[in-house]
Amino acid sequence: MLYVKWLLVLILAYFAGILIKKCKLPSILGWLIAGMLLGPEAANLLSDQLRNTSSYQLIICWMQCAFGIMLGSELILKKLRSYGKALFVTTLTQSLGTFVIVSVVFGIIFAFQGVPIYLALVFGGIALATAPAPALSIVREFNTHGPVTDTLLPMAVLDDVVGIVVFFSVNAFVAHQVASGSLPLYMIPVMIFLPIILGGAIGYLVGMVLRKSQDTKMNLIALLLGITVIVGIGVYLNKAILKGITLNYMLMGVAYSGVLSNMIDEEKLQLLLQAYNPILAISLLISIVDLGAPLDYHLILGAGFYTFVYIVARAAGKNGGARLGATIMHMPETVKKYLGLTLLPHSGVSLVFTSIACATLQSAPALVRIVQGTIAAAAVINEIIAVIAAKKGFELAGELK
């Protein structure tokens, strides 16, 4: 019965997307709102009872790996070489710029209010990460093409890596301040490189198969089997060996797709991606609904000063950092002006990081309440604004088709 309700939620979310699209807004906004209104905090059709089952979590991991395919297929070495240093510099300026601005702003506020300054670093560490699924959904739905799209897709991968390094470094520092348990520093490279190595190894094996096959249907089956093997190994490692951390399944999908995409010719890759498109659409729908489910719409009414500051400071960091990097590297004018708008979606990553930070701060309940209240409310408000802003960014850049 739980899975029948889930199917109903997905159907309702799909039609909510169609309704939102008639208002000239991205379908993803309808999916996100449907997930929120049908999730545990509202209608409870998509309940915590279902979301906590191992089979549901396995499906979500598979879907996260599946939409990583879209990102990885953009990591063609020829393309990356054409970006040169510009992509890497701009990624660092917008990521680290967001971390610095949010940390400094909250550091000043907390200094006057008697709140420990290290909590400002927690907010900065959570703020710098970008959730790629919303922007990718817009790219796919509106078939966007141009410099902003070409920069965003590989940047989403690099941004994820920078986010992991900075957040867990901050988390380890804060753990020492509050004398609570935390992830050891040596686990940070494990979290980054293990998904890449696992996805890349399976991608190489599947790429060898795809090189020899000319049958698109068989190639699609091989691609899907590869995703299943990666997720199976990842889940086993999480449960049996790495119990204290959560591996990044999207990063696995990115590495998997990135390796095999460089092993086959462009025509074969395009045919494969075209056949894969319906599966990508389903994976995005399921992932976005799951993203919206834990969001509590009541928090919009209860949002306070910290939430407002967090949303504004993060937006300033993303936009200012992206503009700075793009200007330094002489990137196209549209990238300078509008890339930052496409980097605003945040909630999935922010909620994961928030739960980890709160576990680290468990010996200081007052600080946990500040983090939870601020980020949870920001996740709801920011995500609705961010989806609209991201679509507007592509529109102003002239890349919507």
Side-chain angles (χ1 to χ4, degrees), residues 6 23 49 62 64 84 115-116 119 121 129 133 144-145 186 190 224 231 276 286 291 301 341 366 381 383 394:
W6 186 25
C23 303
Q49 183 184 358
W62 197 97
Q64 289 174 352
V115 177
L119 194 65
L121 298 177
T144 66
H145 289 290
Y186 68 82
V190 173
L224 299 179
V231 172
Y276 180 72
I286 292 175
L291 194 69
L301 301 176
L341 292 175
I381 299 168
E383 211 59 18
F394 287 118

Side-chain angles (χ1 to χ4, degrees), residues 32-255:
L32 192 73
I33 293 172
M36 187 165 56
L37 296 180
L38 300 173
E41 303 298 335
N44 202 33
L45 274 176
L46 183 54
S47 63
D48 280 333
Q49 183 184 358
L50 170 61
R51 295 182 72 247
N52 290 331
T53 61
S54 56
S55 53
Y56 177 90
Q57 292 175 0
L58 182 64
I59 292 170
I60 294 300
C61 289
W62 197 97
M63 294 301 170
Q64 289 174 352
C65 187
F67 76 67
I69 299 296
M70 181 179 176
L71 283 172
S73 64
E74 293 295 321
L75 298 182
I76 308 298
L77 290 178
K78 290 179 183 177
K79 286 186 180 180
L80 292 179
R81 288 194 193 102
S82 69
Y83 298 136
K85 296 178 182 177
L87 176 65
F88 298 96
V89 170
T90 308
T91 300
L92 288 175
T93 55
Q94 60 88 6
S95 292
L96 299 181
T98 303
F99 172 71
V100 170
I101 289 176
V102 173
S103 298
V104 168
V105 169
F106 275 99
I108 294 170
I109 293 171
F110 291 158
F112 282 103
Q113 296 184 337
V115 177
I117 300 296
Y118 60 74
L119 194 65
L121 298 177
V122 173
F123 279 120
I126 294 172
L128 68 87
T130 301
L136 295 183
S137 179
I138 295 170
V139 168
R140 184 191 167 279
E141 179 179 343
F142 292 96
N143 193 27
T144 66
H145 289 290
V148 174
T149 303
D150 291 342
T151 306
L152 174 67
L153 293 177
M155 181 175 287
V157 181
L158 298 174
D159 190 76
D160 222 32
V161 174
V162 176
I164 290 171
V165 172
V166 174
F167 173 77
F168 283 103
S169 298
V170 167
N171 196 56
F173 169 75
V174 170
H176 290 297
Q177 302 299 310
V178 298
S180 174
S182 179
L183 188 74
L185 282 174
Y186 68 82
M187 289 303 292
I188 296 174
V190 173
M191 290 192 67
I192 297 170
F193 293 112
L194 183 58
I196 293 173
I197 292 169
L198 175 57
I202 304 299
Y204 178 78
L205 295 176
V206 173
M208 294 296 289
V209 174
L210 298 185
R211 271 182 168 181
K212 298 176 182 178
S213 172
Q214 299 302 321
D215 187 332
T216 301
K217 287 183 179 178
M218 292 304 297
N219 290 347
L220 178 61
I221 292 171
L223 182 74
L224 299 179
L225 284 174
I227 296 173
T228 306
V229 170
I230 292 169
V231 172
I233 296 173
V235 169
Y236 171 77
L237 291 174
N238 255 158
K239 289 187 174 181
I241 302 172
L242 306 170
K243 296 180 181 180
I245 68 172
T246 301
L247 292 174
N248 190 322
Y249 290 89
M250 188 203 75
L251 206 53
M252 293 180 195
V254 169

Side-chain angles (χ1 to χ4, degrees), residues 242-288:
L242 306 170
K243 296 180 181 180
I245 68 172
T246 301
L247 292 174
N248 190 322
Y249 290 89
M250 188 203 75
L251 206 53
M252 293 180 195
V254 169
Y256 169 63
S257 175
V259 170
L260 70 85
S261 294
N262 281 281
M263 293 178 66
I264 60 178
D265 62 73
E266 190 172 343
E267 185 180 352
K268 184 182 287 187
L269 177 62
Q270 291 307 315
L271 288 172
L272 179 58
L273 292 176
Q274 190 175 351
Y276 180 72
N277 241 346
I279 296 160
L280 175 63
I282 294 169
S283 69
L284 283 168
L285 172 63
I286 292 175
S287 298
I288 297 299

